[in-house]
Structure formats: structure tokens, C-alpha cells
Amino acid sequence: MIGLEGLRELFYLLSESYKVIAPTLRDGLLVYDHVKDFESLALGYKNVEGPALYAVEKASNGYFTYTHPANSPKAFLHPPELRLMKVRRSDGALSFEMERVEKKYCFFDVRACDLSAIKILDRVFLEKNSHPDPYYKSLRERAFIVAVNCTYRTSTCFCNTMGTGPEVKGGFDLLITELEDSFLLEVGSERGEKMVSLLEKKERTEERHFEEKERKLKYLKDSIEEFFDREGLAQRLYGKMDSSHWEHIEKRCLACTSCTQVCPTCFCFDIVERNSLESDCSERIRLWDSCFSPSFATVHRFNLRQSIHSRYRQWLMHKFAYWVDQFDSFGCVGCGRCITWCPAGIDIRQEVRRLAYG
Ligand code: SF4
Ligand code: SF4
């Protein structure tokens, strides 16, 4: 068990060894960013979300009173722009510099949905990949994860429908649950154990603290509506490939790519060459791509998915059907970000429910 001072001590202990990435308030948004001071954490704020709706308020009591930031750990483990290689020409000879990724991140405050998203990215980039990604591998192996159990939800959360939350189950170094007047600290790895051994401001944990944790989690879980049944969902959706409902979605979808940008599991990227005007240097850059972009499915100058409904179908079917065949899991963790950040207010839960069960 730790109190607020113990939490502060833990934060600074982690800052000695890691670049701490944590939720902080920036331009009216809760975002993951590099946080150097304990006071800059977003503790005591609350996010209010709905379809195409977002606001941050001061919470009336508590510290971990929000759900998750607008961005996700993906922005650091699989950054939007990453230089892979630099080629220089000097005295007629070319030299090649490969990018070395050596950052040591501590993700401080990762919720159950985002932890599941990291496990999905592990499968995509490492475990189910015949060419494991060295950049992702390097960042992932060094990352220290402090997970936090949610005690609050927004109207867009559907982690229980996707079986990813709200309770954190494995995959963390340390796990925090906020109780009435303290924080329950649980250890999930040797690294986590070592970190706790360095803490001075800690107290003995008693059985009643675990009972309080269970009560809080049950209360939260019971408050989140189940939207659809995951059992047989992929097969139901495969049967709806020609549904007229896709065209109904096209009338609303702007193909703006917001949903794929905020999604913690969308991993598609493009690789481009960036040349200097002097022609003595060229960089190979990896950039996030999106299945909503017209260039995404363009092969030999022909776009295989010209209509917006075919792009939306690709996005939804990948998350809820193709992904199951490719990676043995759904590609959606129920974080709800795509619902909040869709300017047209398209709610993926409702679209899946209408398509599969309508
Ligand atoms: S599809 Fe939407 S709800 Fe599912 S993980 Fe991606 S952003 Fe979250
Ligand atoms: S579903 Fe919404 S966020 Fe996604 S591309 Fe369409 S309009 Fe943009």
C-alpha cells in the first residue's frame, strides 16, 4: 500500500531510470507525453466522452479519475514518423546509417484496454511476424509498465464487450488500484519487485484492501453495458459483406482517417524516401498510413477501394473478422477512441451490432 507521498516517490524513482510517459493535460486534452514533474500528471481530472464529443473537467474527488488519454502507448512504441535509415554521399562514396532505437520508456498509468492493445501490437510486430520488427522490439523490451485499474468509465467505453477490461490482468510490471484513502500496489515482474524494494514510503497491505479493490471493480464492471456477443461474431460479419448497410455508413463517413490515427491497435504504415535538395543525403522514413486513405489500396495507379463504403468495410471487418484469422484475437479493445474522435459521430459498437445482429 502507498499513499500520495509513496506515489510521488515511485514516480521519481521511475524517472531516474526511464523516460516517463504519462497522462498530462495539454490544450484541453488528456494526452500521453513525457512528464518530468509529479505535479504535471493529470491526477484529479476527468474526461467526458461521447460520439464526436470530448471535454475534460476537474473531478470532485480522487486521483486516477479519468479513463485513458486521447492518444495511446502506440504513439511511442510505433511512432507516427520514424527514420529507419540515412544514406549520405561524401567524396563519391555512399555511407548507410541504420537507426538505433534505444529509448527506455516507462508507461505510467496504462489502463486495461491499452494494455490489451500493446499485447495485440506484440503479436503483429513480433510474435506472429516472420520478420519481427527490430525498432518495436527494442522499445518494447525496455519498456516498464505501470498499469492502473479503472474506477471510472466514459459512455464510449466497451472494454467488457471486447473482453479486455475494465480489470487489468497481467502484462504489467506494477499495478495500481486507487482505494478510498490509499493506493493498492501489486507487483507483476522482477523489475517491478525491485522497484518496490527501493520504495521507502510504503505500508503493509491487508486482506481488506484486496476486498475493496474487488468491490470497486465489480461496481464498475456492472455499470458497463454489453453491446454484442463476441462468440461467432466474425462469422456473422463475413455473412454481411454485401449488406446495404455499408452504403448507409458511407453517407456519414468522411474518410478523414481520424479513427485509424487514434486507434491503439491500427498499425498500418507506409515507407517513403525523403531526399535533401543538395542530393547528398536521403532518409528512409516510416509513416502511419490509413485504410481510409485513397492511396492505401492503390496498386499500379488503380485504387482497389474507390468507394468510402469499401474502405469503411475494410476497417470494420479487419478489426472484428480478418484480425481473428490473422492474429487469433479481435483487433478492437473497446477503448472507444474512434467513437469520440469521429467528426461524424459514427459509433463502431452500433455499426457492429446493426451489421451482425440487425
Ligand atoms: S476500433 Fe475504436 S474502440 Fe476499437 S480499439 Fe480501435 S479506437 Fe478503440
Ligand atoms: S469513421 Fe469517422 S473518423 Fe473514421 S474515417 Fe469515417 S468519418 Fe473519419
Side-chain angles (χ1 to χ4, degrees):
M1 293 295 304
I2 52 174
L4 191 59
E5 283 312 305
L7 192 65
R8 184 192 302 272
E9 188 192 356
L10 175 64
F11 175 86
Y12 285 116
L13 270 176
L14 290 163
S15 304
E16 285 171 16
S17 313
Y18 297 92
K19 184 169 181 172
V20 177
I21 306 297
T24 187
L25 191 62
R26 185 165 17 98
D27 300 330
L29 290 178
L30 291 177
V31 289
Y32 275 119
D33 205 348
H34 181 200
V35 176
K36 293 181 185 158
D37 308 310
F38 185 74
E39 280 63 36
S40 301
L41 293 173
L43 299 177
Y45 284 96
K46 177 177 162 181
N47 52 324
V48 179
E49 304 194 21
L53 174 99
Y54 183 87
V56 176
E57 299 172 350
K58 260 304 207 188
S60 53
N61 60 358
Y63 293 94
F64 291 104
T65 37
Y66 44 85
T67 56
H68 53 59
N71 60 354
S72 69
K74 178 184 86 169
F76 299 87
L77 293 170
H78 172 45
E81 179 171 328
L82 177 70
R83 190 176 68 205
L84 304 178
M85 184 178 75
K86 203 170 190 175
V87 186
R88 284 183 195 283
R89 185 172 59 186
S90 172
D91 298 331
L94 295 179
S95 64
F96 296 81
E97 291 168 31
M98 303 304 286
E99 187 71 12
R100 288 167 66 88
V101 180
E102 290 176 341
K103 291 193 184 83
K104 268 177 82 179
Y105 288 129
C106 165
F107 294 100
F108 187 87
D109 189 353
V110 181
R111 305 305 172 100
C113 56
D114 281 344
L115 208 48
S116 294
I118 293 174
K119 288 178 199 159
I120 288 175
L121 292 180
D122 288 350
R123 265 184 233 141
V124 171
F125 286 111
L126 305 175
E127 294 155 14
K128 295 260 176 191
N129 195 322
S130 48
H131 298 282
D133 185 295
Y135 309 98
Y136 181 87
K137 186 168 188 279
S138 170
L139 289 166
R140 183 68 179 95
E141 281 175 353
R142 293 156 194 262
F144 188 103
I145 295 182
V146 180
V148 172
N149 270 318
C150 283
T151 45
Y152 163 75
R153 57 157 303 203
T154 71
S155 72
T156 49
C157 295
F158 63 109
C159 54
N160 58 340
T161 302
M162 297 314 300
T164 60
E167 183 177 2
V168 170
K169 288 180 183 151
F172 57 85
D173 294 294
L174 291 175
L175 170 63
I176 295 172
T177 309
E178 182 171 358
L179 304 181
E180 231 28 72
D181 52 7
S182 53
F183 304 95
L184 175 62
L185 190 59
E186 293 173 76
V187 168
S189 70
E190 270 181 40
R191 285 189 304 182
E193 183 88 57
K194 198 168 158 205
M195 200 52 76
V196 170
S197 71
L198 300 172
L199 266 180
E200 288 177 5
K201 299 184 178 94
K202 57 183 181 236
E203 289 159 33
R204 229 173 86 89
T205 306
E206 294 169 18
E207 194 51 39
R208 67 184 169 89
H209 295 128
F210 289 102
E211 286 165 9
E212 188 180 342
K213 169 189 160 183
E214 292 311 317
R215 269 200 311 277
K216 283 198 167 244
L217 283 169
K218 183 172 182 320
Y219 179 77
L220 181 65
K221 201 169 176 197
D222 290 349
S223 75
I224 311 178
E225 182 190 347
E226 292 271 358
F227 276 84
F228 44 77
D229 188 359
R230 296 193 303 280
E231 195 62 41
L233 179 63
Q235 287 315 313
R236 278 176 175 270
L237 289 170
Y238 276 124
K240 298 296 170 78
M241 290 294 280
D242 297 321
S243 165
S244 59
H245 189 67
W246 300 112
E247 271 141 44
H248 181 61
I249 299 172
E250 173 167 302
K251 293 197 178 95
R252 292 169 284 146
C253 176
L254 308 168
C256 66
T257 80
S258 281
C259 47
T260 54
Q261 305 294 307
V262 294
C263 179
T265 65
C266 274
F267 58 84
C268 289
F269 57 82
D270 195 4
I271 292 182
V272 298
E273 304 293 334
R274 192 179 284 160
N275 303 318
S276 73
L277 286 175
E278 293 84 20
S279 303
D280 59 358
C281 178
S282 172
E283 293 180 326
R284 182 163 291 177
I285 312 285
R286 186 165 83 182
L287 299 166
W288 282 359
D289 204 347
S290 168
C291 50
F292 283 93
S293 159
S295 62
F296 187 85
T298 297
V299 182
H300 296 297
R301 300 173 74 183
F302 181 74
N303 185 358
L304 299 165
R305 294 193 202 110
Q306 296 187 17
S307 64
I308 290 180
H309 82 252
S310 64
R311 291 180 222 157
Y312 191 92
R313 183 173 60 193
Q314 166 64 24
W315 143 258
L316 186 144
M317 289 296 292
H318 195 201
K319 296 280 173 207
F320 294 92
Y322 312 151
W323 210 299
V324 178
D325 299 334
Q326 264 182 302
F327 303 114
D328 291 336
S329 76
F330 288 101
C332 172
V333 295
C335 71
R337 286 180 176 95
C338 60
I339 303 169
T340 302
W341 297 105
C342 173
I346 297 173
D347 185 332
I348 201 165
R349 300 168 297 191
Q350 305 293 358
E351 305 307 342
V352 169
R353 185 150 68 179
R354 274 180 212 135
L355 279 158
Y357 300 98

